Protein backbone atom coordinates (compact mmCIF):
# COMPACT_ATOMS: atom_id res chain seq x y z
CA UNK A 1 0.00 0.00 0.00
CA UNK A 2 1.23 3.49 -0.85
CA UNK A 3 1.67 5.28 2.46
CA UNK A 4 0.25 8.46 0.95
CA UNK A 5 -3.10 6.68 0.81
CA UNK A 6 -3.38 7.09 4.59
CA UNK A 7 -4.08 10.82 4.57
CA UNK A 8 -7.83 10.19 4.61
CA UNK A 9 -7.46 7.42 7.21
CA UNK A 10 -9.23 9.59 9.74
CA UNK A 11 -12.61 10.00 11.37
CA UNK A 12 -14.86 12.58 9.72
CA UNK A 13 -15.13 14.62 12.89
CA UNK A 14 -11.39 15.34 12.81
CA UNK A 15 -11.94 17.18 9.53
CA UNK A 16 -15.12 18.93 10.65
CA UNK A 17 -13.34 20.12 13.81
CA UNK A 18 -10.42 21.29 11.67
CA UNK A 19 -12.80 23.32 9.54
CA UNK A 20 -14.31 24.82 12.67
CA UNK A 21 -10.89 25.89 13.91
CA UNK A 22 -10.09 27.25 10.45
CA UNK A 23 -13.31 29.26 10.26
CA UNK A 24 -12.68 30.78 13.69
CA UNK A 25 -9.01 31.45 12.90
CA UNK A 26 -8.21 29.29 15.91
CA UNK A 27 -4.94 27.42 15.37
CA UNK A 28 -2.95 27.83 18.56
CA UNK A 29 -0.27 25.28 19.36
CA UNK A 30 -1.44 22.43 21.60
CA UNK A 31 -0.15 19.23 23.18
CA UNK A 32 -1.90 15.88 22.84
CA UNK A 33 -0.85 12.70 24.66
CA UNK A 34 -1.33 9.11 23.50
CA UNK A 35 -1.69 6.71 26.43
CA UNK A 36 -3.64 3.65 27.54
CA UNK A 37 -5.50 2.99 30.77
CA UNK A 38 -4.98 -0.73 31.38
CA UNK A 39 -2.61 -3.47 30.20
CA UNK A 40 -4.27 -5.89 27.79
CA UNK A 41 -4.91 -9.49 28.89
CA UNK A 42 -4.48 -8.43 32.55
CA UNK A 43 -0.75 -8.37 31.88
CA UNK A 44 1.80 -6.70 34.14
CA UNK A 45 3.21 -4.55 31.33
CA UNK A 46 2.76 -3.72 27.65
CA UNK A 47 5.16 -3.46 24.72
CA UNK A 48 4.86 -0.33 22.59
CA UNK A 49 5.09 -0.76 18.82
CA UNK A 50 4.09 1.01 15.62
CA UNK A 51 6.25 4.13 15.75
CA UNK A 52 7.93 3.43 12.41
CA UNK A 53 4.54 3.37 10.68
CA UNK A 54 3.54 6.59 12.44
CA UNK A 55 6.69 8.19 11.07
CA UNK A 56 5.81 6.97 7.56
CA UNK A 57 2.31 8.35 7.93
CA UNK A 58 3.45 11.81 9.09
CA UNK A 59 6.12 12.06 6.40
CA UNK A 60 3.59 11.39 3.64
CA UNK A 61 0.69 13.36 5.07
CA UNK A 62 -0.73 15.50 2.28
CA UNK A 63 -4.03 15.90 0.47
CA UNK A 64 -3.94 14.97 -3.21
CA UNK A 65 -6.23 16.48 -5.83
CA UNK A 66 -8.34 13.32 -5.63
CA UNK A 67 -8.56 13.65 -1.84
CA UNK A 68 -9.72 17.25 -2.08
CA UNK A 69 -12.22 16.42 -4.83
CA UNK A 70 -13.67 13.64 -2.71
CA UNK A 71 -14.06 15.94 0.29
CA UNK A 72 -15.64 18.60 -1.92
CA UNK A 73 -18.17 16.04 -3.04
CA UNK A 74 -19.33 15.51 0.55
CA UNK A 75 -20.82 18.98 0.42
CA UNK A 76 -19.83 19.98 3.95
CA UNK A 77 -16.49 21.74 3.47
CA UNK A 78 -15.92 25.30 2.25
CA UNK A 79 -13.70 26.07 -0.72
CA UNK A 80 -11.45 28.14 1.53
CA UNK A 81 -10.90 25.18 3.86
CA UNK A 82 -10.34 22.81 0.95
CA UNK A 83 -7.74 25.21 -0.43
CA UNK A 84 -6.00 25.11 2.97
CA UNK A 85 -5.99 21.30 2.89
CA UNK A 86 -4.48 21.23 -0.62
CA UNK A 87 -1.32 22.81 0.81
CA UNK A 88 -1.33 20.93 4.12
CA UNK A 89 1.81 19.60 5.73
CA UNK A 90 2.65 18.67 9.31
CA UNK A 91 4.81 21.33 10.96
CA UNK A 92 4.83 20.22 14.57
CA UNK A 93 6.93 18.19 17.00
CA UNK A 94 6.44 14.57 18.06
CA UNK A 95 8.05 12.82 21.00
CA UNK A 96 7.65 9.08 21.60
CA UNK A 97 8.80 6.10 23.57
CA UNK A 98 10.90 3.91 21.21
CA UNK A 99 9.37 0.71 19.90
CA UNK A 100 10.05 -2.39 21.96
CA UNK A 101 10.08 -0.50 25.26
CA UNK A 102 8.03 -2.01 28.07
CA UNK A 103 5.38 0.52 29.09
CA UNK A 104 2.65 0.92 31.67
CA UNK A 105 -0.83 2.46 31.92
CA UNK A 106 -1.39 6.22 32.09
CA UNK A 107 2.03 7.25 30.74
CA UNK A 108 2.28 8.94 27.33
CA UNK A 109 3.58 6.64 24.60
CA UNK A 110 3.61 9.54 22.15
CA UNK A 111 3.21 13.30 22.43
CA UNK A 112 2.14 15.62 19.61
CA UNK A 113 3.00 19.35 19.85
CA UNK A 114 1.50 21.18 16.89
CA UNK A 115 -1.09 23.74 15.77
CA UNK A 116 -4.45 22.37 16.80
CA UNK A 117 -5.68 21.72 13.26
CA UNK A 118 -2.64 19.55 12.55
CA UNK A 119 -2.74 17.82 15.92
CA UNK A 120 -6.43 17.05 15.50
CA UNK A 121 -6.03 15.52 12.04
CA UNK A 122 -3.38 12.96 13.02
CA UNK A 123 -5.28 11.55 16.02
CA UNK A 124 -7.13 8.69 14.37
CA UNK A 125 -4.30 7.25 12.28
CA UNK A 126 -1.81 7.43 15.15
CA UNK A 127 -4.21 5.60 17.46
CA UNK A 128 -5.00 3.02 14.79
CA UNK A 129 -1.31 2.24 14.26
CA UNK A 130 -0.10 2.35 17.86
CA UNK A 131 -3.10 0.50 19.30
CA UNK A 132 -2.88 -2.41 16.88
CA UNK A 133 0.85 -3.06 16.94
CA UNK A 134 1.22 -2.51 20.70
CA UNK A 135 -1.61 -4.98 21.29
CA UNK A 136 -0.05 -7.72 19.17
CA UNK A 137 3.47 -7.11 20.53
CA UNK A 138 2.12 -7.40 24.08
CA UNK A 139 0.10 -10.54 23.33
CA UNK A 140 3.14 -12.10 21.68
CA UNK A 141 5.30 -11.27 24.67
CA UNK A 142 2.90 -13.21 26.92
CA UNK A 143 3.00 -16.21 24.58
CA UNK A 144 6.78 -16.11 24.39
CA UNK A 145 6.99 -15.97 28.19
CA UNK A 146 4.70 -18.99 28.51
CA UNK A 147 6.95 -20.95 26.10
CA UNK A 148 9.82 -20.72 28.57
CA UNK A 149 12.54 -20.34 25.97
CA UNK A 150 11.04 -22.43 23.17
CA UNK A 151 10.74 -20.71 19.81
CA UNK A 152 7.40 -19.16 18.83
CA UNK A 153 6.54 -18.87 15.13
CA UNK A 154 3.83 -16.45 14.01
CA UNK A 155 1.38 -18.36 11.79
CA UNK A 156 -1.62 -16.04 11.81
CA UNK A 157 -1.85 -14.40 8.38
CA UNK A 158 -4.90 -16.31 7.13
CA UNK A 159 -6.84 -15.49 10.32
CA UNK A 160 -5.88 -11.82 10.60
CA UNK A 161 -8.50 -9.12 10.05
CA UNK A 162 -7.25 -8.18 6.61
CA UNK A 163 -3.88 -7.78 4.84
CA UNK A 164 -2.61 -4.83 6.89
CA UNK A 165 -3.48 -6.54 10.18
CA UNK A 166 -1.64 -9.64 9.01
CA UNK A 167 1.38 -7.70 7.78
CA UNK A 168 1.86 -5.30 10.67
CA UNK A 169 0.68 -7.90 13.16
CA UNK A 170 3.57 -10.07 12.00
CA UNK A 171 5.92 -7.12 12.46
CA UNK A 172 4.65 -6.53 15.99
CA UNK A 173 4.89 -10.25 16.76
CA UNK A 174 8.57 -10.22 15.81
CA UNK A 175 9.12 -7.25 18.12
CA UNK A 176 7.30 -9.12 20.89
CA UNK A 177 9.63 -12.10 20.61
CA UNK A 178 8.68 -14.47 17.76
CA UNK A 179 11.59 -16.19 16.01
CA UNK A 180 9.93 -16.07 12.61
CA UNK A 181 6.72 -15.64 10.63
CA UNK A 182 4.90 -17.55 7.92
CA UNK A 183 4.10 -14.19 6.25
CA UNK A 184 6.38 -13.91 3.21
CA UNK A 185 5.58 -10.25 2.57
CA UNK A 186 6.49 -9.42 6.17
CA UNK A 187 9.75 -11.27 5.68
CA UNK A 188 10.52 -9.20 2.59
CA UNK A 189 9.49 -5.81 3.96
CA UNK A 190 10.91 -6.13 7.47
CA UNK A 191 13.87 -8.46 6.84
CA UNK A 192 12.75 -11.09 9.35
CA UNK A 193 12.94 -14.91 9.11
CA UNK A 194 10.12 -16.71 7.27
CA UNK A 195 9.20 -20.21 8.38
CA UNK A 196 6.76 -22.96 7.54
CA UNK A 197 6.30 -26.64 6.74
CA UNK A 198 3.49 -28.06 4.61
CA UNK A 199 -0.26 -28.58 4.83
CA UNK A 200 -2.36 -31.71 5.22
CA UNK A 201 -3.29 -31.26 1.56
CA UNK A 202 0.32 -32.09 0.63
CA UNK A 203 -0.05 -35.49 2.29
CA UNK A 204 -3.50 -36.08 0.84
CA UNK A 205 -2.38 -35.28 -2.71
CA UNK A 206 -0.01 -38.28 -2.77
CA UNK A 207 -0.95 -41.97 -2.99
CA UNK A 208 0.21 -42.50 0.60
CA UNK A 209 1.73 -40.69 3.56
CA UNK A 210 5.18 -42.24 3.20
CA UNK A 211 5.54 -41.07 -0.40
CA UNK A 212 4.47 -37.55 0.56
CA UNK A 213 7.04 -37.46 3.38
CA UNK A 214 9.83 -38.88 1.25
CA UNK A 215 9.19 -36.40 -1.56
CA UNK A 216 9.19 -33.47 0.82
CA UNK A 217 12.39 -34.65 2.52
CA UNK A 218 14.17 -34.99 -0.82
CA UNK A 219 13.14 -31.44 -1.78
CA UNK A 220 13.91 -29.75 1.55
CA UNK A 221 16.61 -31.69 3.40
CA UNK A 222 17.94 -28.57 5.10
CA UNK A 223 14.62 -27.86 6.82
CA UNK A 224 12.46 -30.96 6.84
CA UNK A 225 9.55 -30.86 9.28
CA UNK A 226 6.88 -33.43 8.49
CA UNK A 227 3.23 -32.96 9.47
CA UNK A 228 2.31 -36.30 11.04
CA UNK A 229 -1.36 -36.03 12.05
CA UNK A 230 -3.20 -36.27 8.72
CA UNK A 231 -4.38 -39.85 9.28
CA UNK A 232 -3.11 -41.35 12.55
CA UNK A 233 -0.33 -39.60 14.43
CA UNK A 234 1.18 -42.48 16.42
CA UNK A 235 0.27 -45.45 14.21
CA UNK A 236 1.02 -43.90 10.83
CA UNK A 237 2.46 -40.38 10.86
CA UNK A 238 5.38 -40.80 13.26
CA UNK A 239 6.35 -44.29 11.97
CA UNK A 240 6.37 -43.03 8.37
CA UNK A 241 8.47 -40.02 9.35
CA UNK A 242 10.93 -42.31 11.14
CA UNK A 243 11.07 -44.53 8.06
CA UNK A 244 12.04 -41.54 5.88
CA UNK A 245 14.61 -40.32 8.41
CA UNK A 246 16.14 -43.82 8.61
CA UNK A 247 16.31 -44.25 4.83
CA UNK A 248 18.08 -40.91 4.47
CA UNK A 249 20.57 -41.89 7.14
CA UNK A 250 21.21 -45.30 5.60
CA UNK A 251 21.72 -43.69 2.18
CA UNK A 252 24.43 -41.49 3.66
CA UNK A 253 22.32 -38.37 3.35
CA UNK A 254 21.96 -35.85 6.13
CA UNK A 255 19.42 -33.27 7.18
CA UNK A 256 20.02 -29.75 8.29
CA UNK A 257 17.10 -29.26 10.62
CA UNK A 258 14.50 -32.00 10.72
CA UNK A 259 11.60 -33.24 12.79
CA UNK A 260 7.82 -33.52 12.98
CA UNK A 261 4.84 -31.22 13.52
CA UNK A 262 1.70 -31.97 15.51
CA UNK A 263 -1.43 -30.02 14.63
CA UNK A 264 -4.24 -31.79 16.47
CA UNK A 265 -5.09 -34.00 19.40
CA UNK A 266 -3.71 -33.98 22.93
CA UNK A 267 -0.40 -32.28 22.30
CA UNK A 268 1.08 -33.20 25.68
CA UNK A 269 0.31 -36.91 25.31
CA UNK A 270 1.16 -37.15 21.61
CA UNK A 271 4.42 -35.23 21.91
CA UNK A 272 5.69 -37.40 24.77
CA UNK A 273 4.82 -40.59 22.87
CA UNK A 274 6.36 -39.24 19.65
CA UNK A 275 9.50 -38.17 21.49
CA UNK A 276 9.93 -41.67 22.88
CA UNK A 277 9.45 -43.21 19.43
CA UNK A 278 11.95 -40.83 17.80
CA UNK A 279 14.55 -41.38 20.51
CA UNK A 280 14.22 -45.17 20.40
CA UNK A 281 14.60 -45.05 16.61
CA UNK A 282 17.90 -43.20 16.97
CA UNK A 283 16.73 -39.67 16.20
CA UNK A 284 17.06 -37.75 19.48
CA UNK A 285 17.92 -34.56 17.58
CA UNK A 286 14.66 -34.61 15.60
CA UNK A 287 12.58 -31.67 16.75
CA UNK A 288 8.89 -31.61 17.58
CA UNK A 289 6.88 -28.58 16.58
CA UNK A 290 3.25 -28.06 17.60
CA UNK A 291 0.38 -25.88 16.45
CA UNK A 292 -3.43 -26.02 16.87
CA UNK A 293 -5.21 -22.96 18.33
CA UNK A 294 -2.52 -22.26 20.88
CA UNK A 295 -2.41 -19.34 23.27
CA UNK A 296 -0.36 -18.54 26.36
CA UNK A 297 -2.74 -20.28 28.75
CA UNK A 298 -2.80 -23.58 26.84
CA UNK A 299 0.92 -23.31 26.21
CA UNK A 300 1.54 -22.76 29.94
CA UNK A 301 -0.51 -25.86 30.79
CA UNK A 302 1.22 -27.99 28.16
CA UNK A 303 4.59 -27.00 29.57
CA UNK A 304 3.36 -27.87 33.07
CA UNK A 305 2.33 -31.30 31.76
CA UNK A 306 5.81 -31.97 30.36
CA UNK A 307 4.96 -31.73 26.67
CA UNK A 308 8.00 -32.74 24.63
CA UNK A 309 7.72 -29.85 22.20
CA UNK A 310 10.64 -27.73 20.98
CA UNK A 311 8.87 -24.98 19.07
CA UNK A 312 5.35 -23.69 18.63
CA UNK A 313 3.38 -22.24 15.74
CA UNK A 314 0.79 -19.78 17.02
CA UNK A 315 -1.77 -18.23 14.72
CA UNK A 316 -5.31 -17.02 15.42
CA UNK A 317 -5.00 -16.27 19.12
CA UNK A 318 -1.81 -14.26 18.56
CA UNK A 319 -2.56 -12.27 15.41
CA UNK A 320 -6.04 -11.26 16.67
CA UNK A 321 -5.24 -11.15 20.39
CA UNK A 322 -8.46 -13.11 20.56
CA UNK A 323 -9.19 -12.79 24.30
CA UNK A 324 -8.45 -9.04 24.35
CA UNK A 325 -8.94 -7.57 20.87
CA UNK A 326 -8.35 -3.90 21.72
CA UNK A 327 -5.42 -2.04 23.26
CA UNK A 328 -7.48 0.90 24.43
CA UNK A 329 -5.09 3.73 23.65
CA UNK A 330 -6.54 7.25 23.73
CA UNK A 331 -5.49 10.72 22.51
CA UNK A 332 -6.14 13.54 24.95
CA UNK A 333 -5.48 17.28 25.02
CA UNK A 334 -2.93 18.14 27.71
CA UNK A 335 -2.01 21.80 27.15
CA UNK A 336 -2.71 24.89 25.03
CA UNK A 337 -0.13 27.56 24.29
CA UNK A 338 -1.11 31.12 25.22
CA UNK A 339 -0.15 34.37 23.49
CA UNK A 340 3.06 34.57 25.53
CA UNK A 341 4.20 31.16 24.30
CA UNK A 342 3.52 29.41 27.61
CA UNK A 343 1.74 26.05 27.64
CA UNK A 344 -1.29 26.18 29.92
CA UNK A 345 -2.08 22.73 31.38
CA UNK A 346 -5.50 21.26 30.58
CA UNK A 347 -7.25 18.38 32.30
CA UNK A 348 -10.16 16.10 31.44
CA UNK A 349 -12.25 15.08 34.41
CA UNK A 350 -14.69 12.22 34.74
CA UNK A 351 -16.81 10.44 37.28
CA UNK A 352 -14.58 7.47 36.45
CA UNK A 353 -11.35 8.21 38.32
CA UNK A 354 -9.22 6.28 35.85
CA UNK A 355 -10.36 8.60 33.03
CA UNK A 356 -9.00 11.79 34.64
CA UNK A 357 -5.99 12.89 32.59
CA UNK A 358 -2.61 14.27 33.60
CA UNK A 359 -2.16 17.87 32.44
CA UNK A 360 0.72 19.75 30.88
CA UNK A 361 3.81 19.20 28.78
CA UNK A 362 5.19 15.97 30.20
CA UNK A 363 7.96 13.43 29.91
CA UNK A 364 8.68 10.12 31.63
CA UNK A 365 11.64 8.93 33.67
CA UNK A 366 12.17 5.24 34.31
CA UNK A 367 13.57 4.52 37.73
CA UNK A 368 15.77 1.44 38.28
CA UNK A 369 17.14 -0.12 41.41
CA UNK A 370 20.85 0.52 41.22
CA UNK A 371 21.92 -2.89 42.53
CA UNK A 372 19.59 -5.11 40.48
CA UNK A 373 19.00 -2.94 37.41
CA UNK A 374 15.31 -3.82 37.68
CA UNK A 375 12.49 -1.33 37.10
CA UNK A 376 11.29 0.23 40.34
CA UNK A 377 8.74 2.68 38.95
CA UNK A 378 8.02 5.19 36.19
CA UNK A 379 7.77 8.87 37.02
CA UNK A 380 5.63 11.20 34.92
CA UNK A 381 6.75 14.79 35.30
CA UNK A 382 6.82 18.12 33.47
CA UNK A 383 9.23 18.16 30.53
CA UNK A 384 11.46 20.80 32.14
CA UNK A 385 11.86 19.04 35.48
CA UNK A 386 15.35 17.84 36.45
CA UNK A 387 16.18 15.18 39.04
CA UNK A 388 19.37 14.26 40.86
CA UNK A 389 19.71 10.51 41.60
CA UNK A 390 22.08 11.33 44.44
CA UNK A 391 19.15 12.86 46.33
CA UNK A 392 16.22 11.13 48.02
CA UNK A 393 13.20 10.61 45.75
CA UNK A 394 9.65 10.33 47.06
CA UNK A 395 7.27 8.21 45.00
CA UNK A 396 3.55 8.18 45.72
CA UNK A 397 0.41 6.84 44.10
CA UNK A 398 -1.45 9.78 42.47
CA UNK A 399 -4.81 8.26 43.40
CA UNK A 400 -4.11 6.55 46.72
CA UNK A 401 -1.64 9.17 47.88
CA UNK A 402 -0.96 7.50 51.23
CA UNK A 403 0.97 4.81 49.35
CA UNK A 404 4.47 6.28 49.42
CA UNK A 405 8.00 5.02 48.90
CA UNK A 406 11.15 7.00 49.57
CA UNK A 407 14.17 5.98 47.52
CA UNK A 408 17.42 6.97 49.26
CA UNK A 409 19.82 9.01 47.15
CA UNK A 410 22.36 6.80 45.42
CA UNK A 411 20.12 3.71 45.50
CA UNK A 412 18.53 4.27 42.09
CA UNK A 413 19.21 5.40 38.55
CA UNK A 414 16.93 7.27 36.14
CA UNK A 415 16.47 7.30 32.37
CA UNK A 416 14.23 9.56 30.33
CA UNK A 417 12.39 7.23 27.96
CA UNK A 418 10.66 9.70 25.61
CA UNK A 419 12.76 10.80 22.63
CA UNK A 420 12.24 13.48 19.95
CA UNK A 421 10.96 12.07 16.65
CA UNK A 422 9.80 15.12 14.64
CA UNK A 423 10.91 18.71 15.11
CA UNK A 424 9.21 21.48 13.14
CA UNK A 425 7.74 18.88 10.82
CA UNK A 426 11.06 17.22 10.02
CA UNK A 427 11.84 13.67 11.14
CA UNK A 428 14.99 13.59 13.28
CA UNK A 429 14.69 9.97 14.40
CA UNK A 430 16.10 6.92 12.65
CA UNK A 431 14.03 3.82 13.27
CA UNK A 432 16.05 0.68 14.05
CA UNK A 433 15.42 -2.51 12.09
CA UNK A 434 12.76 -4.91 13.33
CA UNK A 435 15.48 -7.32 14.43
CA UNK A 436 17.18 -4.55 16.40
CA UNK A 437 13.88 -3.54 18.01
CA UNK A 438 13.23 -7.18 18.96
CA UNK A 439 16.66 -7.40 20.58
CA UNK A 440 16.01 -4.19 22.49
CA UNK A 441 12.63 -5.55 23.60
CA UNK A 442 14.32 -8.64 25.06
CA UNK A 443 16.65 -6.39 27.03
CA UNK A 444 13.70 -4.32 28.21
CA UNK A 445 11.87 -7.38 29.51
CA UNK A 446 15.02 -8.42 31.38
CA UNK A 447 14.67 -5.25 33.46
CA UNK A 448 11.29 -6.41 34.78
CA UNK A 449 10.95 -8.43 37.95
CA UNK A 450 9.65 -11.97 37.46
CA UNK A 451 6.60 -11.00 39.49
CA UNK A 452 5.65 -8.46 36.81
CA UNK A 453 6.10 -10.94 33.95
CA UNK A 454 3.97 -13.77 35.32
CA UNK A 455 0.81 -14.59 33.39
CA UNK A 456 -1.60 -14.61 36.29
CA UNK A 457 -2.09 -11.79 38.80
CA UNK A 458 1.19 -10.02 37.99
CA UNK A 459 2.65 -7.32 40.17
CA UNK A 460 1.80 -3.93 38.70
CA UNK A 461 4.67 -1.48 38.24
CA UNK A 462 4.04 1.87 39.89
CA UNK A 463 3.49 4.86 37.60
CA UNK A 464 3.75 7.97 39.76
CA UNK A 465 3.56 11.72 39.28
CA UNK A 466 6.23 14.18 40.29
CA UNK A 467 5.15 16.40 43.23
CA UNK A 468 5.07 19.41 40.91
CA UNK A 469 2.78 17.67 38.38
CA UNK A 470 0.60 16.30 41.14
CA UNK A 471 0.08 19.76 42.64
CA UNK A 472 -0.94 21.23 39.27
CA UNK A 473 -3.33 18.33 38.70
CA UNK A 474 -4.86 18.80 42.14
CA UNK A 475 -5.17 22.56 41.60
CA UNK A 476 -7.00 22.11 38.29
CA UNK A 477 -9.35 19.54 39.82
CA UNK A 478 -10.14 21.93 42.68
CA UNK A 479 -10.78 24.80 40.29
CA UNK A 480 -13.14 22.74 38.15
CA UNK A 481 -14.99 21.34 41.16
CA UNK A 482 -15.78 24.93 42.24
CA UNK A 483 -16.86 26.09 38.80
Amino acid sequence: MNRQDLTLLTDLYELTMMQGYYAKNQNEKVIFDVFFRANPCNNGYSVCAGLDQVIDYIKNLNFTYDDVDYLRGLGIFSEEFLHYLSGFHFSGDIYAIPEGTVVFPKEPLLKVIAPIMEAQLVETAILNIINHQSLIATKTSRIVYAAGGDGIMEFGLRRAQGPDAGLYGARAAMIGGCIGTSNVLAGQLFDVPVMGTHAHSWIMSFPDEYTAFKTYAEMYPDNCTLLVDTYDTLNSGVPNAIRVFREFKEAGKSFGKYGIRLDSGDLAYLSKKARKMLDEAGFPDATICASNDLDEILLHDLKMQGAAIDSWGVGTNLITSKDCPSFGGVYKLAAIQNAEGEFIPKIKISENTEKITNPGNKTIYRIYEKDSGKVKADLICFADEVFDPSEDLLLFDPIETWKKTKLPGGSYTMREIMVPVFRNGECIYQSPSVKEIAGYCRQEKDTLWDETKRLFYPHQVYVDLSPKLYEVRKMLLNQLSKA
Side-chain angles (χ1 to χ4, degrees):
M1 179 184 291
N2 185 334
R3 291 302 93 198
Q4 290 183 332
D5 291 345
L6 296 186
T7 296
L8 291 185
L9 185 70
T10 189
D11 292 305
L12 180 62
Y13 83 164
E14 310 288 16
L15 290 164
T16 56
M17 283 189 287
M18 283 180 72
Q19 179 168 242
Y21 295 136
Y22 180 84
K24 297 297 183 183
N25 197 26
Q26 183 182 341
N27 201 24
E28 62 270 31
K29 189 172 287 188
V30 296
I31 298 175
F32 277 91
D33 293 331
V34 174
F35 63 93
F36 62 104
R37 297 189 177 106
N39 290 311
C41 309
N42 295 314
N43 210 37
Y45 65 94
S46 294
V47 175
C48 65
L51 178 59
D52 188 56
Q53 278 62 56
V54 170
I55 291 171
D56 246 0
Y57 162 69
I58 296 294
K59 281 182 174 179
N60 294 292
L61 188 59
N62 67 87
F63 291 82
T64 65
Y65 291 123
D66 287 343
D67 294 337
V68 173
D69 283 344
Y70 168 74
L71 295 176
R72 180 180 289 112
L74 296 178
I76 57 176
F77 297 110
S78 70
E79 283 302 317
E80 292 81 3
F81 178 63
L82 292 172
H83 179 73
Y84 161 77
L85 291 183
S86 67
F88 181 92
H89 68 280
F90 183 79
S91 66
D93 301 341
I94 293 179
Y95 293 77
I97 296 176
E99 292 188 271
T101 306
V102 295
V103 290
F104 309 104
K106 305 295 179 66
E107 59 192 19
L109 307 185
L110 184 143
K111 176 175 68 175
V112 175
I113 307 175
I116 194 167
M117 285 194 285
E118 298 176 26
Q120 200 73 71
L121 174 65
V122 300
E123 172 183 3
T124 302
I126 287 176
L127 286 177
N128 176 274
I129 294 166
I130 296 293
N131 275 333
H132 174 243
Q133 290 198 47
S134 298
L135 175 70
I136 303 306
T138 304
K139 181 66 171 181
T140 302
S141 189
R142 284 174 59 79
I143 294 170
V144 168
Y145 177 79
D150 299 342
I152 299 293
M153 297 168 284
E154 184 277 307
F155 281 178
L157 178 57
R158 63 188 61 190
R159 300 288 176 80
Q161 283 97 341
D164 264 13
L167 179 63
Y168 291 106
R171 179 184 187 276
M174 294 302 300
I175 290 171
C178 281
I179 61 171
T181 176
S182 66
N183 187 328
V184 179
L185 182 57
Q188 179 193 38
L189 292 180
F190 307 128
D191 189 27
V192 296
V194 289
M195 299 177 172
T197 56
H198 58 77
H200 295 102
S201 59
W202 172 268
I203 309 297
M204 296 163 66
S205 67
F206 285 82
D208 55 72
E209 191 175 51
Y210 162 73
T211 304
F213 285 173
K214 184 177 181 181
T215 304
Y216 192 84
E218 289 172 344
M219 293 183 66
Y220 304 108
D222 292 333
N223 189 6
C224 178
T225 300
L226 304 176
L227 181 59
V228 296
D229 72 329
T230 304
Y231 302 121
D232 187 322
T233 299
L234 298 181
N235 294 316
S236 175
V238 177
N240 277 319
I242 289 173
R243 179 183 173 186
V244 170
F245 297 156
R246 183 178 289 121
E247 289 175 355
F248 261 63
K249 186 177 181 179
E250 291 172 350
K253 300 177 183 179
S254 61
F255 290 105
K257 178 183 176 183
Y258 74 108
I260 65 171
R261 176 162 75 98
L262 304 170
D263 190 47
S264 61
D266 186 327
L267 296 179
Y269 171 79
L270 292 174
S271 66
K272 286 184 279 189
K273 288 290 188 180
R275 180 76 274 160
K276 186 172 185 291
M277 294 168 70
L278 289 165
D279 290 351
E280 289 176 349
F283 301 104
D285 55 341
T287 61
I288 300 178
C289 170
S291 49
N292 187 26
D293 287 333
L294 298 169
D295 64 10
E296 68 270 34
I297 308 304
L298 178 55
L299 212 156
H300 171 268
D301 286 353
L302 289 169
K303 296 287 288 186
M304 292 283 288
Q305 294 162 19
I309 296 169
D310 305 293
S311 62
W312 310 79
V314 187
T316 305
N317 293 313
L318 184 157
I319 205 68
T320 65
S321 188
K322 187 174 181 180
D323 61 328
C324 182
S326 175
F327 190 69
V330 295
Y331 187 89
K332 298 299 179 183
L333 182 67
I336 298 178
Q337 192 177 61
N338 64 16
E340 289 72 41
E342 177 186 5
F343 279 109
I344 306 303
K346 296 290 180 177
I347 191 169
K348 175 189 179 293
I349 63 172
S350 172
E351 292 184 3
N352 297 329
T353 306
E354 69 275 8
K355 290 192 173 184
I356 298 174
T357 60
N358 292 315
N361 184 12
K362 300 176 295 294
T363 191
I364 310 155
Y365 282 92
R366 181 145 296 165
I367 303 167
Y368 303 89
E369 283 194 355
K370 193 169 186 179
D371 292 340
S372 67
K374 301 293 187 183
V375 174
K376 183 70 176 177
D378 274 3
L379 183 68
I380 307 176
C381 60
F382 288 121
D384 59 357
E385 289 191 73
V386 178
F387 301 91
D388 183 353
S390 67
E391 297 179 354
D392 293 352
L393 181 66
L394 180 65
L395 301 175
F396 61 92
D397 189 299
I399 306 299
E400 299 170 331
T401 54
W402 59 91
K403 294 181 179 179
K404 298 179 180 179
T405 300
K406 180 179 283 188
L407 300 181
S411 69
Y412 65 94
T413 61
M414 302 180 75
R415 177 172 74 96
E416 187 175 6
I417 59 175
M418 291 198 89
V419 300
V421 178
F422 281 85
R423 186 166 290 142
N424 298 324
E426 295 296 323
C427 183
I428 59 172
Y429 179 81
Q430 180 64 47
S431 291
S433 69
V434 173
K435 291 177 184 176
E436 289 170 334
I437 297 169
Y440 168 67
C441 187
R442 287 193 295 272
Q443 295 172 4
E444 279 285 286
K445 287 185 278 190
D446 285 343
T447 67
L448 296 173
W449 297 94
D450 289 341
E451 292 83 351
T452 299
K453 292 186 280 188
R454 65 189 176 216
L455 295 177
F456 309 106
Y457 306 104
H459 169 74
Q460 299 297 322
V461 172
Y462 298 113
V463 177
D464 298 324
L465 307 183
S466 70
K468 185 176 178 182
L469 176 55
Y470 175 76
E471 289 301 323
V472 170
R473 186 178 193 263
K474 185 169 67 172
M475 177 193 70
L476 291 174
L477 288 173
N478 288 336
Q479 286 177 354
L480 289 169
S481 66
K482 296 174 182 176

